[in-house]
Amino acid sequence: MSEKKLSANEGIKTRSIYLRGTIAEGLADLSTGSLSEDDQQLIKFHGSYQQDDRDLRADRRKHRLERAFSFMVRIRIPGGVVTPEQWIACDQIAGHYANGTIKLTTRQAFQLHGIIKSNLKRSLAGINKAALTTIAACGDVNRNVMCNPNPFLSSVHAEVLATSQAISDHLNPKTGAYHEIWLDGEKVESSEEVVEPIYGKTYLPRKFKIAVAVPPSNDIDLYANDLGFIAIVEEGKVIGYNVAVGGGMGMTHGNEATFPRIADVIGFCTPEEVVNVAEKIVLVQRDFGDRCDRKHSRFKHTIEDRGVDWVIQTINEYLGYPLQPARPFVFEDNGDRFGWVEDERGHFHYTLFVEGGRVLDTRDYPLRTGLREIAKIHDGDFRLTGNQNLIIANVSPEKRPEVEALMKQYGIAGCHEQSGLRLSSIACVALPTCGLALAESERFLPEVLNALEERIERIGLRHDAITIRMTGCPNGCGRPFISEIGLVGRGPERYNLYLGGGHAGDRMNKLFRQDVGAQEIPDVLTPILEHYARERQEGEHFGDFVIRAGYVAASTNGPGFHRDIKAEALQPVAV
Amino acid sequence: MLPEHSPFAPAQRRSLEELLAGFSPAQRFWLAGYLSAAPLTGGAEPAGAPAAAGPKLTILYGSESGNSEKLADLSAKEAKKLGFKATTRNMSDATPADLAKIENLLVIISTWGEGDPPEAATTFHKALLSEEHDLSKLRYSVCALGDTSYTRFCQTGKEVDARLETLKATRLTPRQDCDVDYEDAHRAWLDEALKAFGPVATAAPVNGNGNSVFSFAAAPTQPVWDKKNPFASEMLERVLLNGRGTAKETWHYELSLENAGLTYEPGDALGVIPANPSDVVESLLKAAKLSGSESVEVSGTSKPVAEALREDLDITALSRPVLTKLFAFSGSAQLSDLLKEGNEKQLNDYLWGRWIVDALEDFAPKGIAAADLVSILRKIPPRLYSIASSPLAHPDEVHLTIAAVRYHANGRDRKGIASTYLADHVPQGEPVSVYIHENKNFRLPASGDTPIIMVGPGTGIAPFRSFVEHRSALGHEGKSWLFFGDQRYTYDFLYQLEWQEHLASGALSRLDVAFSRDQPEKIYVQDKMRERSRDLYTWLEEGAHLYVCGDASRMAHDVHQTLIDIVVKEGGKSKEAAELYVEDLRKTKRYQRDVY
Ligand code: SRM
Ligand SMILES: Cc1cc2nc3c(=O)[nH]c(=O)nc-3n(C[C@H](O)[C@H](O)[C@H](O)COP(=O)(O)OP(=O)(O)OC[C@H]3O[C@@H](n4cnc5c(N)ncnc54)[C@H](O)[C@@H]3O)c2cc1C
Ligand SMILES: Cc1cc2nc3c(=O)[nH]c(=O)nc-3n(C[C@H](O)[C@H](O)[C@H](O)COP(=O)(O)O)c2cc1C
Ligand code: SF4
């Protein structure tokens, strides 16, 4: 590997003086809405992506205008918990500077889209004013740490949340660049490595993702993360965490060297150890991850290349002691539980379904306004789920009637009276903002669901939670490769259909049909769903059924994803 | 008929008239061209040689878009031919005190804004109305330029005329108020006044040139395209400059000047003579209860009224004069009420956003005869558009940047006639009637090294595209700084790609933009100027010329104030000193405006 050429990003990081680059200068130049190539890479570390409205691309030149550039801002929220004040602040920034919507992401964060260059600084300043941050929401660092928003056992939730936040804080970049550029912090001459004791000046080879789960719920999709901690609870207390490593979704069509992978559970550590364990595992990836090929630089590749035993051994070396053996646990599903629940202290939590995670006002469903009004009177907090949904959490018994009244007024009350399929759906952003999208996703999945709902109604599957996830490309932001039905964009109006993922997100699915036309999707799925309705066994999940019924073979991990694909999967669909 | 004061002996006059009467227009035209091109040798001297004998005559003008200035020059030429020692004087270089020293004065002044004097005349105008002078020796006459579609029609001219009287000057001939087609009215006024100012040396030399009978006589051998005789220019290209998602509609038009023999300079404007859209014509015919085929007389020829309404007449702009004439036919009590002294407020409220068709519906419910209708309408006024191209960068072409005016008033969708005529009714390949409107008061610095600062929000950007292209074509090195503004960065950044190229090539040195609707608070060009006050003042101190183009109603004023504030702040001057500083910039033509 050493003689191979380092990827361009490594040079950019090295030159950037701890993520400064020429961002400040670039922001000042308003002759263009864009930043320099290098700075476009660097601002990711600051939590923002430069994008352009792809719906408009075609005709901008003829209006003598450059592309419609704008910035997406990702607000990292460890564990996905925000106060009502913070909600209101984000809502306001979304209205003033972004496109008037708030996107709840698959990693429990907010995204604001469509912020033009001249408004980027004030947006970030506003976010920080609300005691939120965007630093390291993106880039080659540890990303937002996910945590099961568990509304049932609030004492346990408090513990795991604290853990997630501790890990997040510990792994945050320490460079002063962020404050200098966005918050007018004064320039501190950056001395050597001390600036980034954990990362150093080239940070990590690639993004790094950590999640904390509380069985039996795997709603944060632990297996899709580079590093996962599974809380082991005894008598309502967290006694420690199982450690899982090497998960990831992203791959590239037609390149079998790239593949999704689910994390391996490799051991157990105590709550006291957890932050240090996280750090050491990050260091292993920092030191051994591939910095030459960005398609081969995630922790999952490091592990596939060197083997699980190597990684366990190396981690133990970095720790200076061996991890304990993993403890038994069971995940039942990776979905959310909708509606009201009461926790052991008599507080109430309402999980509402947010289609595609997009909070916005439409004429017949003013969700954004409704949530703003609720935030104004809410005495608890808000929790984002890993499925792009939202929990109005810790509602006191006194407040509940008020909250319910507002929910009624704005049509939120019945929002989870939907088909089990829709409630178990995820769609990534894709078009028009995502620069990597090959096909529609967030804007199109609802149509597919409409068509499917008529049919499942008929065949009696209305209430069955079958996970269905769509992404506009194989990067897998909606974790489509661990869903029972996965739809992954391959080109305009064309999708690969994957089946057979584990209902708890614990098994990858497999390619069932390549290149299905957008309009053909319901027809391709219906016979299989009918078959399932007829012949499923007691409690058998759809993902397991399609394997038993022989539609697809069960995927083995990593490269196994591309094996045992049936020949007809590659044939053009005949409907 | 040759007027009496024409420089001929009665006998000459008679024989000339006989001759001319026999000529066809073509023959007259040729003769005129011939005479002007080849001054007669022999007894006569070239035209315009002042006959030392005649009385001194000062022609004082106040002009914004150049009309009064042109008329002043023309008047001087005529006066000289009659032997006057005539000189023109811009009000910007004059003080009321000067008037006490002269005897014969002609004033030609226009009105702008909401009845304000032209920018260049403000100081003189203020002084004249406030200062006391004894002008009892002064004899004068005023020609006021204006537009009847404005409530305060010819306001400035009226004020000057009245004030001179109060200061004991003698009004020799009555004031002439001119509407947008001012040529004939001015001519008549001039003939009158010059006669009154006589006696004149009748022995003045002769040739046909400029003689007041032939308005076309100034023609060189190639026809001049002007207001009365516009050039049919082909629409070569039309580009909508706002991106999808915008609330604006700003067009870029490229028109052909091929074989027109028309030349222009950056800073000039293009006159466009629109045709009224058929839907507006239809609604007017309907209100007038006419079929459209009724034949009417307009400017000497008879044609169906529908055609006259479409091509010759202003059928939208409602004004007091129009209502007054309408009253003569309709006799509506309501209308007479509206026109009463003291009811100006009601009248203005009524006029706002209303068209002539509304007045017909409201006050002539029984309709109106074709001839009567035509008699209350004025000629369709040409619209001026700042030229957005450099003749060097785009030979044989002229480019415009035009905002389509569309609005809603009194429950009706309304539109600007000329701007939507171009936007909706002139596809690529179709002709547009145009002429060049020179604007000497908006010119690049003589030296290509002089820095320029350009403030042009919205369509105010137009002349600056021309400036920057021109300087770059000439390889001029002078620094240039553009302030542009509009509603939204993403959709309304007019010519963004071109500015990026000019910045890259160095043709433009600096660009600041202000977009008002991208954030909760409004940001305008003047705010960006403030932000940059230090540099801006430094540029001025380095001799930069400052240009402002675009909206007259608010922008120009706010920018002017900002400029003064900047001089106060960065120059450490008192408000008064700063005002003088800016006034001096204007006088020395380093601060020029093209606002509308
Ligand atoms: C917003 C979000 C999807 C959503 O609808 O919720 C998202 C959106 C994007 N992801 Fe993602 N990813 C999101 C979760 C994920 C996940 C799911 C997860 O982490 O649980 C994955 C799969 C897990 C993994 O990392 O393997 C994921 C794998 C990727 C990849 C592939 C990474 C790889 O190494 O294979 C890319 C492309 C890349 O990084 O080169 C990517 C890149 C992107 C970008 C930034 C496109 C880009 O790089 O220009 C997308 C922005 C689109 C837009 O317009 O907003 N995103 N992305 C999720 C934000 C999470 C967060 O708050 O941080
Ligand atoms: C020297 C000069 C240069 C110019 N340069 C340019 C240029 O480069 N680009 C450009 O676009 N324009 C320019 N203009 C303005 C242009 O000449 C016209 O005035 C403009 O295009 C409107 O003409 P129109 O025939 O479309 O509208 P008109 O038919 O003349 O109607 C305009 C009238 O409509 C009424 N009106 C308009 N909006 C409303 C409203 N919201 N509510 C109620 N009533 C309303 C007002 O009475 C207004 O006077 C320039 C003007 C001058 C004098
Ligand atoms: C923005 C603008 C405002 C005007 N305001 C008035 C006015 O209030 N009253 C008036 O009689 N004419 C008004 N006019 C018409 C001008 O006086 C008329 O066009 C005149 O011919 C200009 O002469 P100049 O080029 O010498 O300035 C206005 C013209 C423009 C473009
Ligand atoms: S999966 Fe692909 S299309 Fe969807 S958001 Fe991620 S990168 Fe964009």
Side-chain angles (χ1 to χ4, degrees):
Chain A
M1 212 158 287
S2 50
E3 71 280 354
K4 276 212 266 136
K5 199 163 145 301
L6 287 178
S7 76
N9 294 56
E10 294 302 316
I12 296 171
K13 285 183 268 182
T14 318
R15 286 194 300 276
S16 75
I17 328 162
Y18 297 100
L19 310 180
R20 288 176 177 79
T22 57
I23 295 173
E25 296 79 343
L27 289 172
D29 172 10
L30 291 182
S31 65
T32 171
S34 162
L35 290 173
S36 77
E37 298 281 331
D38 285 12
D39 292 339
Q40 286 176 39
Q41 294 303 320
L42 291 175
I43 50 157
K44 296 181 182 179
F45 291 81
H46 297 257
S48 181
Y49 285 78
Q50 181 176 314
Q51 309 181 312
D52 77 289
D53 186 332
R54 294 179 62 184
D55 287 348
L56 301 182
R57 255 186 214 179
D59 55 26
R60 294 285 294 181
R61 275 210 151 267
K62 88 171 190 283
H63 296 301
R64 310 209 172 170
L65 295 164
E66 69 179 6
R67 284 183 178 186
F69 293 112
S70 68
F71 294 82
M72 174 269 277
V73 164
R74 188 178 285 166
I75 304 170
R76 89 195 301 248
I77 306 164
V81 179
V82 293
T83 65
E85 296 69 30
Q86 291 173 322
W87 180 277
I88 291 167
C90 293
D91 175 271
Q92 207 180 46
I93 295 163
H96 284 166
Y97 306 123
N99 65 0
T101 74
I102 304 171
K103 169 84 178 185
L104 311 180
T105 76
T106 55
R107 290 194 71 80
Q108 302 178 290
F110 291 134
Q111 271 185 195
L112 305 179
H113 291 97
I115 299 174
I116 59 173
K117 199 202 251 180
S118 56
N119 283 332
L120 191 52
K121 192 167 171 176
R122 30 167 99 196
S123 301
L124 264 62
I127 288 162
N128 281 267
K129 193 151 162 289
L132 291 165
T133 183
T134 63
I135 191 168
C138 328
D140 300 341
V141 287
N142 170 56
R143 300 290 189 88
N144 196 36
V145 176
M146 295 180 76
C147 167
N148 162 272
N150 188 338
F152 306 96
L153 266 179
S154 39
S155 54
V156 169
H157 178 258
E159 272 186 85
V160 289
L161 180 63
T163 304
S164 324
Q165 284 163 341
I167 296 169
S168 174
D169 295 346
H170 185 70
L171 295 177
N172 247 353
K174 306 282 182 281
T175 173
Y178 188 85
H179 269 72
E180 276 170 39
I181 296 172
W182 307 108
L183 309 175
D184 298 322
E186 100 260 8
K187 211 169 172 81
V188 271
E189 266 327 309
S190 45
S191 59
E192 271 323 289
E193 299 300 310
V194 296
V195 175
E196 295 289 6
I198 295 177
Y199 292 119
K201 57 156 73 75
T202 53
Y203 296 83
L204 296 180
R206 204 69 160 83
K207 61 177 67 165
F208 195 90
K209 297 178 171 180
I210 302 177
V212 181
V214 182
S217 172
N218 186 28
D219 57 358
I220 48 79
D221 266 329
L222 179 114
Y223 295 110
N225 288 267
D226 297 271
L227 171 58
F229 292 105
I230 304 161
I232 304 300
V233 180
E234 285 178 8
E235 285 114 30
K237 279 215 61 49
V238 177
I239 59 155
Y241 298 89
N242 281 351
V243 180
V245 295
M249 290 288 111
M251 65 160 206
T252 307
H253 288 307
N255 175 355
E256 296 212 348
T258 67
F259 45 79
R261 188 180 191 282
I262 59 176
D264 301 279
V265 179
I266 60 166
F268 173 89
C269 70
T270 65
E272 298 67 38
E273 297 169 326
V274 69
V275 171
N276 183 44
V277 169
E279 176 190 314
K280 295 301 178 288
I281 293 176
V282 165
L283 295 186
V284 171
Q285 165 64 356
R286 178 196 69 187
D287 299 345
F288 295 93
D290 179 357
R291 290 180 183 263
C292 300
D293 174 4
R294 295 199 44 99
K295 288 190 178 311
H296 184 264
S297 51
R298 291 291 294 275
F299 196 31
K300 67 181 176 185
H301 300 107
T302 316
I303 295 173
E304 278 297 326
D305 294 350
R306 300 164 185 264
V308 177
D309 298 342
W310 171 87
V311 86
I312 295 172
Q313 188 193 345
T314 316
I315 291 167
N316 291 345
E317 280 167 18
Y318 272 62
L319 279 169
Y321 64 87
L323 289 168
Q324 301 174 41
R327 309 286 171 93
F329 69 96
V330 177
F331 282 139
E332 284 170 3
D333 61 48
N334 60 357
D336 292 335
R337 287 165 186 60
F338 297 94
W340 286 107
V341 294
E342 180 176 4
D343 68 26
E344 86 279 15
R345 298 166 313 157
H347 279 60
F348 294 92
H349 309 260
Y350 181 87
T351 305
L352 62 114
F353 171 68
V354 182
E355 187 148 42
R358 190 67 67 166
V359 175
L360 81 168
D361 284 341
T362 63
R363 216 202 286 93
D364 37 4
Y365 189 24
L367 175 60
R368 186 180 147 214
T369 308
L371 291 172
R372 186 191 311 126
E373 291 311 308
I374 290 170
K376 286 179 186 165
I377 60 126
H378 184 29
D379 60 359
D381 54 51
F382 290 94
R383 296 180 195 172
L384 286 61
T385 81
N387 289 295
Q388 304 174 316
N389 295 314
L390 184 67
I391 304 175
I392 304 169
N394 277 319
V395 181
S396 62
E398 308 73 58
K399 275 276 176 209
R400 180 171 168 173
E402 242 183 296
V403 173
E404 273 182 313
L406 286 169
M407 285 170 48
K408 258 205 183 48
Q409 183 183 343
Y410 292 97
I412 298 170
C415 71
H416 62 280
E417 287 148 18
Q418 314 257 3
S419 70
L421 193 65
R422 195 179 291 266
L423 293 175
S424 313
S425 68
I426 289 182
C428 74
V429 180
L431 294 167
T433 53
C434 178
L436 306 175
L438 305 171
E440 295 281 351
S441 178
E442 184 188 318
R443 295 194 294 193
F444 179 56
L445 183 59
E447 280 182 47
V448 177
L449 291 169
N450 293 345
L452 282 172
E453 268 170 349
E454 296 167 13
R455 297 163 158 95
I456 59 176
E457 194 70 47
R458 205 178 62 232
I459 55 183
L461 293 179
R462 186 172 208 291
H463 297 296
D464 292 79
I466 301 170
T467 55
I468 177 168
R469 296 171 172 185
M470 175 179 278
T471 61
C473 87
N475 283 322
C477 299
R479 299 184 292 262
F481 303 120
I482 47 177
S483 62
E484 296 177 284
I485 302 173
L487 289 157
V488 176
R490 206 159 186 284
E493 302 270 297
R494 312 207 70 74
Y495 297 82
N496 278 4
L497 172 59
Y498 300 84
L499 296 176
H503 186 70
D506 46 4
R507 178 183 64 238
M508 292 191 292
N509 49 25
K510 187 164 297 294
L511 182 63
F512 171 71
R513 279 283 182 285
Q514 181 173 288
D515 262 325
V516 182
Q519 302 313 320
E520 299 161 358
I521 295 169
D523 299 334
V524 175
L525 280 171
T526 306
I528 308 172
L529 288 162
E530 284 169 343
H531 190 186
Y532 171 63
R534 278 197 316 274
E535 299 187 10
R536 65 171 151 178
Q537 296 165 354
E538 182 58 34
E540 184 178 33
H541 291 296
F542 184 71
D544 304 328
F545 169 80
V546 290
I547 292 169
R548 182 173 63 87
Y551 288 97
V552 292
S555 272
T556 54
N557 206 7
F561 181 74
H562 297 299
R563 292 192 207 110
D564 315 317
I565 293 172
K566 291 189 165 20
E568 56 270 33
L570 307 175
Q571 303 304 319
V573 186
V575 188
Chain B
M1 280 302 257
L2 294 177
E4 304 218 327
H5 67 71
S6 63
F8 301 106
Q12 287 179 307
R13 260 200 358 250
R14 249 175 278 103
S15 43
L16 244 180
E17 275 166 5
E18 279 171 23
L19 260 170
L20 289 169
F23 290 167
S24 73
Q27 289 172 310
R28 292 171 165 233
F29 193 83
W30 181 91
L31 182 63
Y34 171 78
L35 291 172
S36 62
L40 301 179
T41 46
E45 303 160 24
K56 286 212 186 100
L57 173 66
T58 306
I59 302 164
L60 187 64
Y61 65 90
S63 186
E64 183 84 42
S65 59
N67 295 341
S68 307
E69 186 172 10
K70 260 201 272 102
L71 292 183
D73 294 345
L74 182 71
S75 309
K77 207 141 126 261
E78 294 298 311
K80 284 176 184 168
K81 280 201 230 92
L82 299 180
F84 286 91
K85 281 221 222 67
T87 52
T88 60
R89 188 94 170 270
N90 189 332
M91 279 186 186
S92 59
D93 318 324
T95 66
D98 303 340
L99 300 185
K101 303 190 207 91
I102 59 176
E103 290 175 356
N104 302 328
L105 176 72
L106 289 180
V107 179
I108 306 176
I109 183 165
S110 65
T111 300
W112 280 71
E114 271 90 52
D116 312 320
E119 169 65 16
T122 38
T123 322
F124 178 90
H125 175 260
K126 201 159 5 84
L128 180 69
L129 268 58
S130 54
E131 295 173 9
E132 289 306 325
H133 294 281
D134 174 9
L135 301 184
S136 46
K137 285 198 201 52
L138 183 69
R139 308 186 305 159
Y140 75 98
S141 182
V142 174
C143 177
L145 265 59
D147 179 339
T148 49
S149 70
Y150 288 88
T151 29
R152 316 196 63 201
F153 175 57
C154 289
Q155 182 64 20
T156 315
K158 290 172 181 165
E159 287 165 3
V160 171
D161 185 46
R163 180 62 181 172
L164 287 173
E165 182 176 38
T166 341
L167 296 179
K168 303 218 186 51
T170 321
R171 183 186 298 104
L172 216 50
T173 56
R175 184 184 76 247
Q176 173 71 58
D177 294 340
C178 309
D179 200 350
V180 282
D181 53 342
Y182 48 74
E183 286 80 358
D184 300 352
H186 163 265
R187 174 72 58 177
W189 167 81
L190 183 64
D191 292 351
E192 268 288 300
L194 289 179
K195 205 173 334 144
F197 273 117
V200 290
T202 39
V206 192
N207 74 16
N209 194 352
N211 187 310
S212 55
V213 225
F214 317 118
S215 59
F216 51 76
T221 38
Q222 182 190 38
V224 267
W225 305 110
D226 62 12
K227 230 185 198 179
K228 287 197 159 45
N229 180 29
F231 173 70
S233 163
E234 183 191 342
M235 175 71 74
L236 297 173
E237 204 186 342
R238 347 173 350 118
V239 177
L240 183 59
L241 293 172
N242 306 95
R244 213 179 342 142
T246 181
K248 304 289 291 289
E249 184 185 342
T250 316
W251 288 90
H252 169 80
Y253 300 112
E254 301 187 352
L255 297 162
S256 169
L257 294 183
E258 212 173 339
N259 307 326
L262 282 175
T263 58
Y264 65 87
E265 276 186 65
D268 286 343
L270 191 77
V272 171
I273 298 164
N276 289 303
S278 45
D279 59 327
V280 181
V281 172
E282 288 311 316
S283 63
L284 194 66
L285 286 169
K286 191 157 158 293
K289 306 223 177 337
L290 297 169
S291 74
S293 56
E294 300 85 349
S295 152
V296 292
E297 274 279 309
V298 277
S299 42
T301 53
S302 64
K303 51 173 79 172
V305 64
E307 189 185 324
L309 294 180
R310 200 175 74 255
E311 283 159 12
D312 305 302
L313 302 166
D314 180 349
I315 62 171
T316 49
L318 193 58
S319 62
R320 178 186 281 272
V322 170
L323 287 177
T324 315
K325 290 189 214 137
L326 176 62
F327 177 67
F329 300 108
S330 82
S332 144
Q334 230 184 324
L335 180 49
S336 77
D337 220 49
L338 207 52
L339 292 167
K340 276 214 189 71
E341 283 291 316
N343 285 2
E344 286 73 15
K345 168 106 182 44
Q346 292 86 318
L347 177 63
N348 290 341
D349 293 352
Y350 179 79
L351 289 175
W352 176 246
R354 281 203 172 71
W355 272 354
I356 288 168
V357 60
D358 303 313
L360 285 190
E361 284 167 358
D362 296 346
F363 306 124
K366 287 193 225 59
I368 176 171
D372 300 347
L373 174 59
V374 166
S375 77
I376 68 173
L377 302 176
R378 64 173 182 174
K379 281 212 209 75
I380 190 162
R383 302 334 195 244
L384 294 182
Y385 294 98
S386 317
I387 291 175
S389 52
S390 154
L392 299 179
H394 309 278
D396 283 342
E397 290 182 9
V398 58
H399 300 177
L400 303 174
T401 313
I402 301 184
V405 174
R406 304 187 199 270
Y407 58 98
H408 196 78
N410 310 308
R412 293 192 184 79
D413 284 327
R414 287 287 151 93
K415 53 192 175 183
I417 296 302
S419 59
T420 62
Y421 161 72
L422 291 170
D424 305 341
H425 302 293
V426 187
Q428 207 176 39
E430 288 298 305
V432 187
S433 298
V434 305
Y435 63 94
I436 300 291
H437 179 99
E438 189 188 33
N439 184 355
K440 293 209 213 75
N441 301 321
F442 206 73
R443 287 284 184 255
L444 278 164
S447 156
D449 299 332
T450 312
I452 55 174
I453 303 169
M454 303 165 282
V455 183
T459 53
I461 197 76
F464 302 135
R465 180 174 180 267
S466 167
F467 277 20
V468 173
E469 283 182 346
H470 206 67
R471 277 199 152 193
S472 138
L474 289 166
H476 286 166
E477 303 276 300
K479 291 189 295 181
S480 57
W481 185 355
L482 174 65
F483 287 88
F484 172 72
D486 211 308
Q487 283 186 358
R488 307 279 309 273
Y489 184 95
T490 307
Y491 312 111
D492 307 324
F493 195 157
L494 308 184
Y495 302 107
Q496 181 182 29
L497 290 178
E498 294 186 13
W499 299 123
Q500 288 178 355
E501 281 163 24
H502 289 313
L503 282 165
S505 75
L508 181 64
S509 340
R510 203 165 162 176
L511 173 67
D512 276 291
V513 292
F515 290 90
S516 58
R517 306 210 179 167
D518 281 335
Q519 60 288 312
E521 83 278 13
K522 297 253 177 284
I523 298 179
Y524 297 113
V525 277
Q526 59 266 28
D527 303 312
K528 287 292 170 179
M529 291 171 67
R530 255 198 204 84
E531 257 178 56
R532 307 268 183 263
S533 59
R534 164 152 301 117
D535 291 2
L536 202 145
Y537 184 71
T538 313
W539 279 52
L540 289 175
E541 286 292 285
E542 290 167 7
H545 287 211
L546 180 88
Y547 302 86
V548 181
C549 179
D551 169 62
S553 56
R554 287 183 52 247
M555 183 277 291
H557 170 265
D558 297 348
V559 166
H560 186 79
Q561 283 314 313
T562 307
L563 193 58
I564 293 169
D565 299 346
I566 289 174
V567 176
V568 168
K569 174 157 175 280
E570 302 299 336
K573 294 183 160 51
S574 71
K575 190 162 178 306
E576 294 65 30
E579 277 164 352
L580 283 179
Y581 182 99
V582 173
E583 174 66 9
D584 183 66
L585 285 179
R586 210 182 41 63
K587 281 213 168 93
T588 54
K589 294 201 169 273
R590 285 179 49 205
Y591 173 26
Q592 303 184 8
R593 311 204 307 179
D594 172 21
V595 297
Y596 44 87

